[in-house]
Amino acid sequence: MLFVSLAMVATLFTMSLSLGACASSKKGGALTAADSAAIAMAVNAKLDSIQRAAEDLSQNVDAAHESFIRAQEMELRGEKALANVFWQHAAESDPNSRYLAFKLAEIMMSQGSDSLALIQAQRAHKLKGRPTASQLGMLAHLYVKDGRADSARKYFNAALDTSRYQDMTLLYDYSLFLEAVQDTKELTRVYDLLLPQVNYMPTLFQRQLKLLLDQGKDSAVVELFEKGHEATGDKKMLLQMVQGLVFQQRLKEAKAVVDTLTESTQDDESMIVLLMSALAETSRDSAYAMLKKKYYVDQVRTPMLANFLGHYEHMFDDLDSAKKHLKIAAEQLGDQRVYATNAYHALSAIAFKEKKNKDAVRYAEKADSVALGSDKAALALTYGTAGLYSKAYKMLDSVIAVWDKWTPMEGIADSASIQRMKVDVERNRRQFRSVYARILCVEAQEVWQKDIADSARIKKALALREKADGFYKELATKDTSDAGVLVLMAMNLERMDRYEEAFALFEKILKIKNATIDRAEVLNYYGYTLIDLNRNAAELDKGIAMVDQALLMEKNGQPSEAYLDSRAWGFYRKGKFEDALTVMKLIKSPHFDDDYVYWEHMAAIYDALGMKAETKAAYKKLKKLQPHHPAVKKFYKK
């Protein structure tokens, strides 16, 4: 290697000046040919000496190589200080070596001489040779320490380009730099490159997740979990991916993932439940179909999935299968009391449908037991529905007395916990009074319905309803915003023939915005009452309009058959008998076979149409259900 030092160049320059000075002293500053020849001879002589020096220098590469070998040996022995001496000697022996120049910079860095290391690295970078990722990275680190962020960024990028972004340590160091300068956009890109190299290390994964969430990149979050799952096989990442898809309403993609699940694990279960819940918001049929496929075809079976499947089967009247799966849930989800309790509630409801009142009560008692005695309100309602009124009232009298006697502990009455307890106590007081009133109304209806013309029964039913009205008044006075209580109170008043009070309440209820009530049910009840009373044309039209509105509010395009009966009666009152019959024929539920009001309507409509055989059959059915019904007496007197 030819290396001309600054000292040598200075020597030549000085020599030429001195020679020129000598010549000028002879001839007033003008050089003669002899002077020029003399200068040339002197310069050539000096160049010869420089060439010899360069040759001597090139011979020092051997010394550099020897020191290089010794330095490595010392490092292997752990003799760091001695190794540094040999590295220094090697660099001095071959000052044009890019590698050795950077090695000196590295040593300076390790000794804490960052400023000198930066100067050395800058000099080394100017030497010939292809820059390596480690050399460029060293410059980046030194510029970081020197507080020169733009230069640091430049050399980090150059180093990463050189390594083709495969240097994991360099990527990580660059990410730390980006965190320091708060360049979130670039940091997100770097984490995306780094994560696969560290197998989606949890701490780094969480940093990237936070960055994406902070930037509102929901789709990128989903992709992150997808990549993480593909790399690690971690089902929890797949679960979070499905959560993201569901949150973004990308249900087709979520379903594609759920379709692949075949294991009965908690993560698989959670993904299925997530998708089921999302589908159910728009189509219960779709949710039910998906759940059946996973359970029956893909054999993903857990007590929780059995629970949801049982509830859907109950909803869709597949009662035998529902009972089977709800029993699995009730018996195996004991540690999850809410689900087990609700499974027993559904089993109790199915038992009532099958007219197995003893089984219904047994399941309700199991529900209360699983709930550690906190399901007394539901249990009391079950007793009432099963006709065990005395048992229901005894229980309710007892629990109401307990809650009415409750008082907060002295000295801490104003504490936050006591205030929460007061709220809970008041809720319980209201709940049990409401349940008591509802059971009184159920009993009143049963007493009256056994013979609607029996004066003694009418009197007893009225007494029960008046007691219920007392509870409702107390509840409504304490909380005028409880629309649910107002609805029950209005219905009870209507049954007591206190129509004006009932109608005033219905009007008030319908004006309450966002009330947590079944608005369609209220409209139908109020509307039917106006139709049935038929006091004047205006009320009749108003009642029909309300029933029509209720029918339009029915979900899934399936009108309630009770609402259809109301609409048919409206047609009858308007003299549209053919229309009335057409609507009545839409009612298919076997439940109406034992509904005397249904047969009362059918008989009247057939009679109005002159269909004698059908009229006679309808009145026969009505007579069987209500032998003393005024319409029956009137018909058979003809």
Side-chain angles (χ1 to χ4, degrees):
M1 298 179 189
L2 181 62
F3 179 76
V4 181
S5 71
L6 289 173
M8 293 177 182
V9 173
T11 301
L12 285 172
F13 182 66
T14 304
M15 183 178 69
S16 66
L17 286 177
S18 63
L19 288 171
C22 292
S24 65
S25 67
K26 292 179 180 179
K27 301 211 174 166
L31 290 176
T32 64
D35 292 334
S36 298
I39 291 171
M41 186 181 296
V43 170
N44 286 332
K46 194 63 181 175
L47 286 173
D48 287 341
S49 68
I50 292 171
Q51 179 65 36
R52 286 194 297 273
E55 288 174 358
D56 291 341
L57 185 61
S58 67
Q59 292 172 357
N60 287 339
V61 171
D62 291 336
H65 182 68
E66 177 68 21
S67 294
F68 172 80
I69 297 298
R70 292 289 182 87
Q72 289 188 319
E73 288 177 354
M74 293 303 104
E75 283 187 343
L76 289 172
R77 293 179 186 179
E79 299 284 349
K80 189 71 175 177
L82 195 53
N84 288 346
V85 172
F86 281 111
W87 284 122
Q88 177 75 24
H89 184 262
E92 290 173 355
S93 299
D94 189 359
N96 289 324
S97 170
R98 184 182 182 89
Y99 172 81
L100 292 173
F102 270 106
K103 187 65 181 179
L104 282 186
E106 180 186 327
I107 292 170
M108 292 174 186
M109 278 184 70
S110 68
Q111 293 172 344
S113 302
D114 294 331
S115 297
L116 290 175
L118 178 57
I119 294 170
Q120 175 65 18
Q122 289 171 329
R123 188 191 76 79
H125 187 48
K126 294 176 182 177
L127 297 176
K128 290 182 179 180
R130 179 177 294 178
T132 66
S134 62
Q135 292 168 0
L136 296 168
M138 184 187 299
L139 278 163
H141 285 96
L142 287 167
Y143 278 123
V144 169
K145 292 181 178 182
D146 199 46
R148 292 153 73 176
D150 290 341
S151 296
R153 184 191 297 271
K154 171 186 172 182
Y155 282 102
F156 267 126
N157 280 306
L160 289 167
D161 285 339
T162 302
S163 71
R164 297 182 180 179
Y165 288 85
Q166 296 304 304
D167 189 326
M168 182 176 69
T169 302
L170 192 57
L171 272 171
Y172 184 70
D173 288 346
Y174 185 35
S175 74
L176 294 178
F177 165 74
L178 293 170
E179 282 186 5
V181 298
Q182 298 183 348
D183 186 346
T184 56
K185 184 176 180 181
E186 176 69 355
L187 184 58
T188 301
R189 183 183 76 87
V190 170
Y191 278 160
D192 196 45
L193 295 166
L194 184 58
L195 278 166
Q197 297 190 40
V198 296
N199 200 33
Y200 290 82
M201 186 170 67
T203 53
L204 203 61
F205 184 93
Q206 290 302 320
R207 288 186 195 174
Q208 178 74 321
L209 177 61
K210 185 178 185 304
L211 281 173
L212 294 173
L213 290 172
D214 289 345
Q215 296 173 65
K217 295 184 175 180
D218 296 335
S219 296
V221 168
V222 172
E223 290 172 14
L224 175 65
F225 283 119
E226 182 178 15
K227 290 175 183 176
H229 172 256
E230 288 174 355
T232 64
D234 187 348
K235 276 282 182 74
K236 283 185 170 41
M237 288 194 177
L238 190 62
L239 169 59
Q240 289 175 298
M241 174 189 167
V242 171
Q243 286 175 332
L245 291 170
V246 168
F247 176 76
Q248 296 173 39
Q249 289 297 302
R250 293 160 61 181
L251 300 187
K252 285 186 178 179
E253 294 168 77
K255 188 175 183 301
V257 174
V258 171
D259 281 343
T260 66
L261 305 177
T262 56
E263 298 178 12
S264 299
T265 66
Q266 186 173 348
D267 290 329
D268 287 25
E269 171 195 284
S270 296
M271 284 183 266
I272 293 168
V273 171
L274 265 172
L275 180 59
M276 176 200 72
S277 301
L279 292 172
E281 290 181 8
T282 54
S283 172
R284 286 179 176 176
D285 289 343
S286 298
Y288 182 33
M290 184 277 295
L291 189 56
K292 281 198 296 186
K293 178 183 179 296
K294 298 312 299 179
Y295 196 90
Y296 289 116
V297 179
D298 297 337
Q299 298 289 301
V300 183
R301 298 187 173 185
T302 67
M304 186 62 74
L305 293 182
N307 171 67
F308 286 113
L309 182 59
H311 284 296
Y312 269 107
E313 287 168 335
H314 178 204
M315 192 185 307
F316 284 87
D317 286 326
D318 185 358
L319 300 186
D320 288 337
S321 293
K323 286 188 289 185
K324 174 184 174 183
H325 295 122
L326 289 168
K327 283 177 182 177
I328 292 173
E331 292 167 4
Q332 297 184 29
L333 290 175
D335 56 335
Q336 299 184 64
R337 294 191 181 94
V338 172
Y339 292 108
T341 300
N342 287 335
Y344 278 125
H345 284 168
L347 286 166
S348 180
I350 291 171
F352 274 128
K353 281 185 179 180
E354 296 177 337
K355 298 182 179 179
K356 298 177 180 178
N357 287 6
K358 287 185 179 179
D359 287 343
V361 169
R362 179 168 56 86
Y363 286 130
E365 289 173 340
K366 284 189 175 184
D368 184 54
S369 175
V370 168
L372 303 179
S374 64
D375 201 42
K376 289 289 187 292
L379 180 56
L381 278 173
T382 303
Y383 286 150
T385 307
L388 304 174
Y389 300 113
S390 296
K391 198 168 187 177
Y393 298 144
K394 183 178 179 180
M395 175 188 290
L396 289 169
D397 285 333
S398 174
V399 292
I400 287 174
V402 169
W403 289 115
D404 283 353
K405 290 177 183 177
W406 182 89
T407 55
M409 295 175 63
E410 293 183 7
I412 55 171
D414 294 328
S415 71
S417 59
I418 290 296
Q419 291 304 317
R420 285 195 297 270
M421 289 181 70
K422 284 182 177 180
V423 171
D424 291 340
V425 168
E426 184 57 29
R427 184 180 62 249
N428 285 326
R429 286 171 176 167
R430 291 184 62 80
Q431 181 186 35
F432 288 113
R433 280 169 167 77
S434 178
V435 168
Y436 208 131
R438 289 167 66 184
I439 295 173
L440 287 166
C441 291
V442 169
E443 185 182 8
Q445 188 68 7
E446 181 185 291
V447 168
W448 173 75
Q449 231 171 281
K450 283 183 178 177
D451 188 346
I452 63 172
D454 188 314
S455 59
R457 287 184 173 278
I458 293 171
K459 184 178 179 180
K460 182 178 179 181
L462 184 59
L464 290 167
R465 289 193 178 280
E466 285 175 346
K467 186 174 182 180
D469 186 53
F471 279 117
Y472 286 136
K473 280 181 178 176
E474 180 185 354
L475 294 169
T477 301
K478 288 186 176 181
D479 185 357
T480 57
S481 65
D482 191 337
V485 166
L486 295 179
V487 170
L488 294 172
M489 184 177 178
M491 289 179 174
N492 188 49
L493 288 168
E494 182 274 329
R495 295 289 182 175
M496 296 164 69
D497 295 342
R498 292 160 61 178
Y499 299 116
E500 301 311 322
E501 293 174 76
F503 295 163
L505 263 182
F506 280 131
E507 291 292 342
K508 179 180 178 180
I509 292 161
L510 292 172
K511 289 176 183 176
I512 300 174
K513 293 181 179 180
N514 303 317
T516 54
I517 57 171
D518 187 336
R519 195 172 184 83
E521 182 184 4
V522 173
L523 286 165
N524 176 69
Y525 194 103
Y526 186 12
Y528 173 78
T529 304
L530 291 173
I531 292 168
D532 195 47
L533 286 175
N534 196 24
R535 297 192 301 190
N536 55 63
E539 281 192 353
L540 177 59
D541 289 340
K542 181 178 180 178
I544 290 171
M546 285 183 169
V547 172
D548 285 341
Q549 192 178 346
L551 284 165
L552 290 172
M553 293 175 71
E554 284 297 274
K555 297 177 181 178
N556 301 321
Q558 295 295 323
S560 165
E561 290 184 327
Y563 301 176
L564 290 175
D565 179 80
S566 298
R567 189 62 185 88
W569 200 233
F571 279 129
Y572 173 82
R573 291 299 197 199
K574 296 290 280 187
K576 298 178 180 180
F577 307 127
E578 291 283 358
D579 291 336
L581 183 59
T582 299
V583 173
M584 290 297 280
K585 286 184 175 180
L586 296 174
I587 299 172
K588 306 293 184 183
S589 173
H591 161 74
F592 285 88
D593 247 9
D594 296 326
D595 186 334
Y596 83 87
V597 175
Y598 170 80
W599 289 109
E600 176 190 346
H601 292 171
M602 288 298 291
I605 293 167
Y606 281 137
D607 194 20
L609 289 168
M611 300 170 67
K612 293 182 179 181
E614 290 82 355
T615 302
K616 186 177 180 180
Y619 273 116
K620 184 178 179 182
K621 183 70 176 178
L622 178 58
K623 183 179 180 181
K624 182 179 178 182
L625 295 170
Q626 284 292 337
H628 303 113
H629 193 289
V632 170
K633 291 180 178 179
K634 184 178 178 181
F635 176 77
Y636 284 102
K637 281 181 180 179
K638 290 182 181 179

